[in-house]
Each structure stands twice: as structure tokens, then as C-alpha cells.
């Protein structure tokens, strides 16, 4: 079953934890992952979690806490620490998709005060933290998640923005979100293109070996046809032979 999209995951994460993450890669520091677990169990040592981690050693410290939590809760899921701390989109996307499914299966639906739970680490709060706000999102158990407003405080500037300022901020936020989405799509495109390219090379090399031995392989030929397929059907593009690689200047 396909996992949730980046946009869905970020919306869920930001509403649950009162954050303002714009990229899945930001989860690589480990802090958000740990607080999702805290929303389930309520006993994660959040005072020790570095939500604003900037250095790799701080990321590693967060994942050590996570490993201890997994062991204590008997969660049978390997944590690919070496991949996650590199803050690559694909690795963190896959882990976040798994974590959301785990949350949906185990969250009791009780109100969760995300800001209050991480107050022990306020000094470490990253710039990506959003002002505390009241939000509600449906949990896997049918309940709702309410994130607390801290006394209805106004912005740090001491005044509320007028209508024009609010509209400008909203538009700026939309532009930033769209830019982040485009960047993520480009990374996904490059990621899958490289996979297809590796498969193409491997198939071609194997076919060349078989041809040298006077043999052929129907399955490899079918894979090659799929790689060279067009919207009209599984046809090899004009000018391309079944035995030739796609020109280096062409893309799928």
C-alpha cells in the first residue's frame, strides 16, 4: 500500500507537534520523530531531546534515545540512523511514512500538548518551530489532537499584523511551500531516474554477454522494452535498436 505524500505527512506532523517544517529532510535530526513517539506513549524524555539539533553528533544523540525507546517498547523496526542523519529526502520520507502508520495504529486519541511537552528543551528550539496554536487533527483512534495555545500570546513584535501584512505573510508562506515542493519533486525525479538508468545498464550488459554466447533472454528483452516504452505502447523509440543504450543526451 502506498504511503502518504510529503505534503500530507508535513501537514500531519506540523499540526500534531505545532511545528512549521517545510521539508521532510528536516526530520533527519530525529527530534520530531521522538516527539511523535511521545504523543503515543507520553513518557519520552523530551527534556533530553534536542529539537533544534544542528550538528551530526546532536542528531546521533537523539537517535540513541530513539533506539532505547524502541528497545523498551519492543518496537520491531530497524532504525537506519546512518541514512537518516544525512537528511536525505527519500530515506526520511520512507521512515516518516512508517512512523505515521505506526502512530495511526497506536495513538489513543488523547489531547497532546506538544509545546508543553518539549518545554524542557525550549532553549534548543529550532527556527522551524511555529508559534503555538490551537489545531485539531483526526488520529488513528478516531480522537482529536489539540495543541495548546500558550496564553493567547501575540507575536514577539508585540502587535498583531494588519490585514496587508497578514496577506503578505500568507503569500510568502505559499511561495516557500511551493518552492519546497518543486525541490522535492526534482530530487524524487533524479532519484528514480538514476535507478532506471542503473537497470538499463545492467540489462544491456547482460544481453551483450548472452549474445556473445549465442543466447538470448526473453525476460530481459521485455524489461528493455518497458524501459524504452512510450505513451503509445511498449515500442522502442525510432532510431533505437533493442541492443543499444539510450543516447547520453536523451532522458526518459
Amino acid at each position: 500500500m502506498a504511503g502518504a505524500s510529503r505534503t500530507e505527512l508535513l501537514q500531519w506532523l506540523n499540526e500534531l507537534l505545532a511545528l512549521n517544517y517545510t521539508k521532510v529532510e528536516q526530520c533527519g535530526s530525529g527530534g520530531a520523530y521522538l516527539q511523535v513517539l511521545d504523543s503515543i506513549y507520553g513518557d519520552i524524555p523530551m527534556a533530553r531531546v534536542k529539537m533544534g539539533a544542528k550538528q551530526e553528533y546532536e542528531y546521533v544523540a537523539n537517535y540513541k534515545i530513539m533506539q532505547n525507546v524502541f528497545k523498551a517498547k519492543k518496537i520491531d523496526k530497524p532504525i537506519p540512523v546512518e541514512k537518516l542523519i544525512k537528511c536525505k529526502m527519500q530515506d526520511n520520507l520512507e521512515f516518516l511514512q512508517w512512523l505515521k502508520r505506526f502512530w495511526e495504529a497506536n495513538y489513543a486519541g488523547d489531547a497532546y500538548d506538544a509545546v508543553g511537552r518539549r518545554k524542557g528543551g525550549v532553549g534548543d528550539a529550532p527556527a522551524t518551530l511555529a508559534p503555538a496554536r490551537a489545531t485539531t487533527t483526526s488520529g488513528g483512534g478516531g480522537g482529536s489532537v489539540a495543541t495548546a495555545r500558550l496564553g493567547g500570546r501575540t507575536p514577539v513584535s508585540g502587535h498583531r499584523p494588519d490585514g496587508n501584512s497578514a496577506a503578505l505573510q500568507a503569500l510568502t508562506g505559499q511561495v516557500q511551500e511551493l518552492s519546497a515542493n518543486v525541490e522535492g519533486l526534482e530530487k524524487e525525479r533524479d532519484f528514480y531516474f538514476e535507478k532506471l538508468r542503473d537497470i538499463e545498464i545492467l540489462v544491456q550488459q547482460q544481453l551483450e554477454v548472452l549474445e556473445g554466447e549465442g543466447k538470448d533472454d526473453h525476460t530481459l528483452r521485455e524489461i528493455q522494452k518497458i524501459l524504452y516504452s512510450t505513451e503509445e505502447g511498449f515500442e522502442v523509440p525510432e532510431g533505437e535498436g533493442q541492443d543499444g543504450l539510450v543516447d547520453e543526451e536523451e532522458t526518459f
Side-chain angles (χ1 to χ4, degrees), residues 163-227:
N164 291 336
S165 297
L168 180 60
Q169 289 177 355
L171 289 172
T172 301
Q174 290 177 13
V175 170
Q176 291 175 341
E177 182 178 357
L178 288 171
S179 297
N181 287 341
V182 169
E183 182 181 350
L185 288 171
E186 289 176 346
K187 289 182 178 179
E188 283 190 73
R189 177 200 63 194
D190 294 342
F191 175 79
Y192 288 111
F193 176 79
E194 289 300 324
K195 284 183 176 291
L196 288 171
R197 181 62 173 159
D198 290 342
I199 293 171
E200 178 193 28
I201 292 172
L202 183 62
V203 168
Q204 181 62 29
Q205 289 175 341
Q206 187 60 30
L207 285 173
E208 289 176 355
V209 171
L210 290 173
E211 287 174 358
E213 298 173 351
K215 301 177 182 177
D216 200 1
D217 187 290
H218 176 72
T219 301
L220 291 178
R221 292 292 183 190
E222 289 300 311
I223 293 173
Q224 192 176 59
K225 284 173 65 178
I226 292 172
L227 289 173

Side-chain angles (χ1 to χ4, degrees), residues 45-185:
M46 292 303 299
R48 292 170 48 203
V49 176
K50 300 182 185 298
M51 292 296 293
K54 304 293 184 185
Q55 304 297 328
E56 187 172 304
Y57 73 88
E58 294 177 308
Y59 298 179
V60 172
N62 282 341
Y63 285 106
K64 285 184 178 178
I65 296 173
M66 189 185 300
Q67 288 172 330
N68 290 335
V69 171
F70 274 38
K71 183 177 180 181
K73 307 296 183 184
K74 295 180 169 50
I75 302 173
D76 186 19
K77 165 72 176 177
I79 305 173
V81 178
E82 292 299 322
K83 292 182 178 180
L84 296 176
I85 62 175
K86 293 178 181 178
C87 296
K88 298 292 186 180
M89 186 277 296
Q90 189 64 29
D91 296 318
N92 281 279
L93 176 65
E94 291 175 0
F95 192 79
L96 191 57
Q97 286 174 333
W98 170 84
L99 186 59
K100 186 174 188 293
R101 291 194 296 269
F102 183 82
W103 179 85
E104 289 172 340
N106 294 278
Y107 179 65
D110 299 328
Y112 179 66
D113 182 3
V115 176
R117 281 294 294 157
R118 61 173 174 259
K119 65 184 178 181
V122 165
D124 293 330
T128 49
L129 285 179
R133 64 190 186 283
T135 58
T136 302
T137 182
S138 296
S144 64
V145 184
T147 51
R149 176 188 295 274
L150 298 183
R153 295 177 184 172
T154 57
V156 176
S157 59
H159 62 83
R160 297 185 182 277
D162 58 31
N164 291 336
S165 297
L168 180 60
Q169 289 177 355
L171 289 172
T172 301
Q174 290 177 13
V175 170
Q176 291 175 341
E177 182 178 357
L178 288 171
S179 297
N181 287 341
V182 169
E183 182 181 350
L185 288 171

